[in-house]
Amino acid sequence: MKGKKKMGIVTVSDRAVMQIAVHTAKKYNGVAGMSEKSRAVDTARFVAGNSDVAGVYVAKTKSGVKLEMYIACNHGADTKSLSQGVADAVTNAFAGTGITIKDVIVHINDVR
């Protein structure tokens, strides 16, 4: 069309999506950090250091992106409101990015 320019295509990597999710979750009150689920023995392992994608798994669907997150909470945290709050915060972090977050599943599998 006259007067309109094609802007191209923007691709956001899975790793970038994971980094946004981790950064958002770590800032949420009550989250001690990220954890991971051991595939071998089904036990939790706290992720030490500054791993920028640990504990987040991405699945792309036709209707959007599904995130599965494993977190460690602080002792005494209200786990029900914490998991819902983290899910909402992560979903809101993608507002305006053009990425549709279809579902955020938060597993609290460690306490610090």
Side-chain angles (χ1 to χ4, degrees):
M1 296 174 100
K2 188 175 180 181
K4 293 200 176 200
K5 296 179 183 179
K6 184 175 180 179
M7 299 303 286
I9 297 172
V10 175
T11 303
V12 180
S13 71
D14 288 355
R15 183 175 181 82
V17 169
M18 294 161 67
Q19 287 173 324
I20 292 168
V22 167
H23 179 73
T24 303
K26 283 183 172 181
K27 290 190 328 184
Y28 198 84
N29 190 29
V31 174
M34 303 306 292
S35 64
E36 287 187 331
K37 183 177 181 180
S38 170
R39 302 286 182 199
V41 281
D42 200 32
T43 59
R45 177 175 69 86
F46 187 71
V47 179
N50 290 328
S51 178
D52 61 350
V53 296
V56 180
Y57 303 91
V58 176
K60 296 175 187 169
T61 67
K62 290 180 181 180
S63 58
V65 175
K66 176 181 172 183
L67 297 173
E68 193 163 355
M69 304 181 70
Y70 291 84
I71 64 171
C73 70
N74 292 321
H75 178 73
D78 178 351
T79 57
K80 184 177 179 180
S81 63
L82 178 67
S83 60
Q84 186 60 54
V86 169
D88 291 344
V90 169
T91 301
N92 291 335
F94 288 92
T97 64
I99 299 170
T100 303
I101 302 298
K102 189 65 178 170
D103 198 13
V104 178
I105 300 169
V106 178
H107 301 275
I108 299 173
N109 63 348
D110 201 2
V111 178
R112 294 282 152 193

